[in-house]
Amino acid sequence: MTRILLAALLAGALSACGTTSGGLAYAPPAQVARAAASAQPVAVTAFADARDEKSNWLGVIRGGFGNHLKTLESNRPPVELVQAAFVDGLRARGVKTGDGGLQLGGTVRKLYCDQVIRREANVIVDLAVRGADGRETFSRSYAVDLVEGSVLAADTGIFASTENLRLLLERALREVVDKALDDPELRA
């Protein structure tokens, strides 16, 4: 009887492990400051990946001993997800994207989510704006750290949802994009 119970527990624990693949979409806030009609078009260039993670890795749900239970990966390179979020953010603000006099690009320093008990998401992006001549006219780092859940949460370990973790990372990325594109100095 003990062997059957042990085998059932082991099978349940192993079935909880795995990798989930997903994307990160940008959705603008309900109220967004529109750009002036005379705003220059902006080309969003490729972002560099300075994360200390393997290419498509976004985060992990860990067990009580720090062991990986469920892994979250992106369905395409994370820097492409960040670039697409900035394109969508500019379009939501009425800025034409594509070839333009201004170029917006940068470096993704952190795009990471984790759950042991509470869910955490961290995004750090260094942005740079270059003029038509290629000279940098603006640069700044934007960061968002989100934590949600309770230390008494029941949805941890094998019961934790990779979708809830992905949604938290998506929200952190959205907040970084909004913080950057609504920065009065960047807009100037």
Side-chain angles (χ1 to χ4, degrees):
M1 181 67 172
T2 305
R3 286 184 181 172
I4 294 172
L5 182 58
L6 184 60
L9 287 173
L10 183 59
L14 289 176
S15 68
C17 300
T19 300
T20 302
S21 182
L24 302 173
Y26 174 83
Q31 299 292 337
V32 65
R34 305 278 298 171
S38 61
Q40 295 184 46
V42 177
V44 180
T45 61
F47 281 74
D49 191 347
R51 301 172 313 128
D52 292 329
E53 312 298 344
K54 65 181 189 176
S55 64
N56 285 16
W57 196 82
L58 294 176
V60 65
I61 294 173
R62 300 176 190 275
F65 298 105
N67 52 316
H68 289 212
L69 294 177
K70 300 176 184 179
T71 303
L72 180 62
E73 293 184 344
S74 61
N75 51 10
R76 55 188 230 216
V79 290
E80 289 181 13
L81 299 174
V82 172
Q83 182 181 14
F86 275 97
V87 168
D88 293 342
L90 286 166
R91 288 180 180 156
R93 287 160 177 78
V95 177
K96 290 182 179 156
T97 59
D99 293 330
L102 295 176
Q103 296 178 353
L104 176 77
T107 303
V108 178
R109 298 265 173 234
K110 190 178 266 192
L111 185 68
Y112 172 81
C113 56
D114 183 271
Q115 179 174 354
V116 176
I117 302 293
R118 298 185 305 168
R119 285 181 289 277
E120 298 184 27
N122 313 99
V123 178
I124 302 173
V125 176
D126 298 339
L127 281 185
V129 177
R130 298 185 183 282
D133 58 1
R135 191 174 49 90
E136 189 173 289
T137 59
F138 177 86
S139 67
R140 179 164 292 160
S141 184
Y142 296 92
V144 168
D145 297 314
L146 299 178
V147 178
E148 73 177 19
S150 165
V151 294
L152 302 175
D155 61 344
T156 62
I158 62 170
F159 302 110
S161 165
T162 53
E163 179 61 10
N164 289 342
L165 189 60
R166 185 196 68 76
L167 288 171
L168 185 66
L169 183 60
E170 186 174 85
R171 191 172 99 213
L173 176 58
R174 180 176 54 244
E175 288 185 22
V176 162
V177 170
D178 292 340
K179 186 187 282 190
L181 296 181
D182 294 335
D183 180 350
E185 290 183 43
L186 180 118
R187 283 181 167 248

